[in-house]
Every structure is written in C-alpha cells, then in structure tokens.
Amino acid sequence: MSAPPGIFTDLRSRLDSKAVLTSLVLLHSAVTCLSLIKVATFQYYISFSGERVWIAVIVALGFSVVSLLFVIARFSFGYFVGFYFYTMILGFLWIDVFSYYSYPQLPAGISAALALVLFLLPALFVKAPLRQLVKLSNAHFEHLLTLILVISVVTIAVASTYNFRLVSVARIYDYRDTLEFPPAVRYLTGWVSSTLLPFAFACYWLLGHRWRAGLVLGLLLLFYPITLTKFAFFTPAWLIALAVLSRFLEARTSAIASIFVPMLLGLVLIVLTGAPLNSIPGRYFDLVNIRMMATASSALDIYNNFFSSHPLTWFCQISVLKPLMHCPYQAPLAVVMQEAYDLGNLNASLFATEGIASVGLYLAPLAALASGFVLALGNRTSAGLPPRFVLMSTGVLPHVLLNVPLSVAMLTHGTAILFLLWYVMPRSLFEPKT
C-alpha cells in the first residue's frame, strides 16, 4: 500500500524544517573540507598540512555561519546557485590556508568571504515579481515548447556536420581541442543544451508528458558526440536525479542534497576503498569531488596568484568590450591560465573573472554584489512559478556558473533566455485542470 498523500506531504515538510536544514548545511560544510583533504592526495596544487589544519578549521567554522542564510531564505533561482557558490568559496578558503602559490592570502580570503555575502544578499532576498507585460496563453506556450524541440533538432543536425564522434569519455580529450564551430552554431549549442532543453524537460515532466520528456533527454544526450564534454554526457542523468530528488524533498532540501549527497558518496567511496583515480570509485571521486567542486575552488586560488603580479583586465575579456579597450590579454583568460600553469583550459566563475581578474581582490566584493543583482532577475522573472519547476528547469546552470564567467553564462549558455522564458510563462500552466 502507498502512503496517504497527507503523510507524504507532512514528511516533506519535516525534512524542510529549520532544524533539518541547519544540520544538513553544517554537515555539508564539514564534508566539503574533509573532501578537500582527500583531494590534496591526488592534486599537487591543492595541498594539506597538519601543522596548519587548526587555522583552516577555525576559518571554516567561522565561515559556515554564512550557510545559515540558506536556512532562513526561501527557495529561488538565486538560492540554488548561491548554495553551489557557498560550497565553492568555502573550498577556496580551505585551500587558501594551505595554498601552493604565493599571493596575499589573508586579504584574498577576506575578499572572497565578503564577496559571497554581498552576492547572496540580492541573490537570496531580492524576489519581488516583475509585472508581466507579456504573458503567453497555455496553448501558445505549448506551441513555444514545440518550437524549442524544433530548434533543438535543427541545431543538433547542423552541429553534427562539424563534429560527431562516438568515443569513450576517457578519449574525449584526444579530439576536443580540435573542435571548431561557427559562432552562430556555438551559441545555439550552448543555448539549447544548457537552457532550452532542460527548460522543456521540466515543463513536460511536470505536465505529465513523459514520452516528450524522454525525447528531450535523448536530444540532450546527442550533444555528447558533438561537444565531447562530460557535462553533456551526464546532463540527462542529472536532470532525472533532480526530478526524482524533488519528488521526495522540498526545493530547498533538494538544492542542498543535490550537491551534498554526491560529494558525500564520493568521499565515502574513496576513503573506504582507498582506490586510485583510475578505478571506478576513483573516477567518481574525480568527476564529482575534484572536477565539479575542488577545481572551481582552486581556480580562485590560481587567479589570485596570477593577478597579484599581472595586469587586471577591467572587463576587457568580455568579447564585445575587447575591441573598445586596450586589453593586456588577447587570448581568452582560460587560455592565458593554461599557458601560465599548464593545468588545462581553466575557465572560472564570476568570482574569479568578473571579480579577481577584472577589478582585483579589493574591489571583487563589489563586482560580486552587482552579479548578485543580475542573477536576482531570475528570482523576479520566476516569481509565482512552482519551486520544483524552477529547480528542475535551472538544473544545469549552477554547474555552468561554477565554471564560466557571468557574461558567458548569461549570453553563451542562455541564462538570459531562461529569464525571458520564465517571464512570459503562464502562471496557471501547472494548476490542476478542472
């Protein structure tokens, strides 16, 4: 027998209580730090020293107070993104204590902590809905979803003429540096894979159109042989996981668990098995604990080191601004970092790019505050929509924002388009039909 709906709803509410959320965010902070201790055994540029561990523990304990903001704030787009950024900055503060590099570490740590707090203030608490000057009817919106599928199919067909290779995940780096797409195809690929199809999946899933949701997942998987990224390969599984997780948990708990559970599992696997990175447990740990989170945190460490002795960009890395300014770097910042540190193509979040690289560590908190207001537009355009839908439709973007500048996320990956889609959606779409 299945549990009565009232009991199920009561259980979800209990799991979203302040006591449970407080325990969960504090436990997540501990897991993040413990994970980085283990990461240090595999990555030379993320170090660990028993002599300084007490300093790192004090820093982590003090900063974990910030996580309590996620206990008092209601769920929103900014909540989802903000918790991932909290994890990244906590990781950087831990790494900062043991940094392999030489730069002003205390000011860098203070700057990063203040930047996150200033980012979270608008991202968590600016939610006033925008007046809907344009609102589609339910019928017109369903036509829009069909148009998204058509655009996606055309994009996949065109992009596949430039590259379509069925290779294992282990071999993608043998080919990925040779990929070249025209600008229009590159933008469409980013919009469709990061925004349009996840948005369509959330709509179809919550409307009960399971076969259409399955079609969307199939289209998303086709981006793997085109782009040859792990991100594309795992996106369908990630969206299914969010759909299942949010079925049993409230949106806030789901957002926190979406990063806590994978990191905890990776840590447990690697500690219990003691396996190397080329094993199955090791590959999982590498994908989740290292590449998904530790790399984003260590990027701040590297950017702080580089720009402590090199000219700032003053935002000239943004492609539309570069022709108008004298820019000290002609190549993209990720390539500049690759040439300087030989660690691969190192893209980084807004805290590193719009912050450290653009204005330096002393003004970086102000850049983070401005970025928080930009992303708070997502809260305002999605106001009135079901939290579960917002969580699912934006499922890919927290990972995007951990690894690329804000300007790239807004334009190349279509975050601005998602805001527009939320804005024009009929708020009655998910109401029960009578």
Side-chain angles (χ1 to χ4, degrees):
M1 292 178 63
S2 60
I7 295 177
F8 182 74
T9 302
D10 182 63
L11 178 61
R12 294 182 70 195
S13 298
R14 288 177 182 274
L15 290 174
D16 195 53
S17 67
K18 288 186 178 180
V20 171
L21 286 175
T22 300
S23 301
L24 191 58
V25 296
L26 294 178
L27 184 59
H28 172 72
S29 299
V31 167
T32 299
C33 297
L34 292 172
S35 175
L36 286 170
I37 293 175
K38 196 62 184 176
V39 169
T41 64
F42 299 107
Q43 304 289 330
Y44 76 88
Y45 55 89
I46 299 180
S47 58
F48 174 74
S49 169
E51 297 177 355
R52 298 179 62 82
V53 67
W54 63 274
I55 300 176
V57 169
I58 292 174
V59 170
L61 285 174
F63 185 68
S64 64
V65 174
V66 175
S67 69
L68 299 180
L69 290 173
F70 296 96
V71 177
I72 63 175
R74 293 183 178 275
F75 179 80
S76 63
F77 168 70
Y79 186 103
F80 194 14
V81 172
F83 192 74
Y84 278 62
F85 277 151
Y86 164 77
T87 306
M88 180 190 71
I89 297 297
L90 175 62
F92 166 68
L93 294 178
W94 182 272
I95 293 170
D96 187 46
V97 174
F98 309 105
S99 182
Y100 175 86
Y101 301 107
S102 177
Y103 58 86
Q105 278 139 352
L106 180 59
I110 294 173
S111 173
L114 181 58
L116 180 74
V117 172
L118 292 180
F119 170 85
L120 289 178
L121 291 178
L124 292 181
F125 301 111
V126 174
K127 299 178 181 178
L130 292 175
R131 182 182 176 188
Q132 273 189 291
L133 299 177
V134 177
K135 181 172 69 173
L136 298 179
S137 67
N138 287 9
H140 286 156
F141 185 77
E142 292 197 14
H143 292 325
L144 176 61
L145 290 177
T146 301
L147 178 61
I148 287 175
L149 293 182
V150 172
I151 292 173
S152 302
V153 170
V154 171
T155 299
I156 291 169
V158 174
S160 64
T161 64
Y162 294 90
N163 180 74
F164 195 92
R165 288 187 175 93
L166 293 173
V167 299
S168 67
V169 173
R171 295 189 58 204
I172 58 177
Y173 299 105
D174 296 339
Y175 304 98
R176 205 163 70 186
D177 289 341
T178 64
L179 300 185
E180 290 187 9
F181 298 101
V185 175
R186 187 170 64 250
Y187 275 103
L188 280 170
T189 298
W191 295 346
V192 170
S193 61
S194 298
T195 295
L196 295 181
L197 284 179
F199 175 83
F201 171 78
C203 290
Y204 285 138
W205 185 273
L206 294 181
L207 289 172
H209 303 322
R210 294 292 192 264
W211 71 269
R212 294 184 187 179
L215 172 62
V216 170
L217 295 177
L219 293 175
L220 279 167
L221 193 57
L222 288 174
F223 280 98
Y224 169 70
I226 293 172
T227 61
L228 297 180
T229 63
K230 294 178 181 178
F231 187 78
F233 185 80
F234 290 104
T235 292
W238 176 253
L239 293 179
I240 293 173
L242 281 180
V244 173
L245 192 65
S246 61
R247 174 69 177 85
F248 297 100
L249 301 173
E250 297 285 354
R252 292 191 300 176
T253 316
S254 296
I256 296 168
S258 70
I259 184 172
F260 167 70
V261 173
M263 287 184 66
L264 177 62
L265 179 59
L267 181 61
V268 170
L269 284 174
I270 206 71
V271 169
L272 292 183
T273 64
L277 283 186
N278 60 0
S279 64
I280 293 178
R283 286 172 181 167
Y284 178 90
F285 184 81
D286 180 49
L287 176 67
V288 175
N289 298 63
I290 295 179
R291 295 183 182 272
M292 188 174 83
M293 289 312 310
T295 299
S297 297
S298 65
L300 271 167
D301 185 43
I302 294 169
Y303 272 65
N304 268 294
N305 178 65
F306 183 85
F307 287 99
S308 67
S309 57
H310 291 80
L312 302 177
T313 68
W314 298 106
F315 302 103
C316 74
Q317 76 274 10
I318 300 175
S319 57
V320 295
L321 297 180
K322 184 170 286 188
L324 307 177
M325 305 172 63
H326 171 70
C327 193
Y329 312 100
Q330 295 308 307
L333 284 183
V335 176
V336 172
M337 296 295 113
Q338 180 182 25
E339 293 174 350
Y341 294 92
D342 194 27
L343 293 174
N345 199 310
L346 191 61
N347 276 307
S349 69
L350 65 90
F351 291 87
T353 51
E354 279 88 1
I356 299 302
S358 294
V359 297
L361 64 90
Y362 295 107
L363 293 179
L366 296 180
L369 176 65
S371 299
F373 277 107
V374 171
L375 292 181
L377 285 173
N379 300 344
R380 302 190 67 189
T381 57
S382 62
L385 294 171
R388 188 185 181 197
F389 169 73
V390 175
L391 176 82
M392 290 175 58
S393 62
T394 192
V396 171
L397 291 180
H399 298 280
V400 169
L401 286 159
L402 283 177
N403 294 287
V404 302
L406 178 61
S407 58
V408 174
M410 294 296 293
L411 300 177
T412 307
H413 290 274
T415 303
I417 296 175
L418 180 62
F419 292 177
L420 180 60
L421 290 171
W422 281 338
Y423 177 72
V424 301
M425 280 186 68
R427 268 41 184 176
S428 61
L429 184 67
F430 300 108
E431 293 179 358
K433 295 180 179 180
T434 57

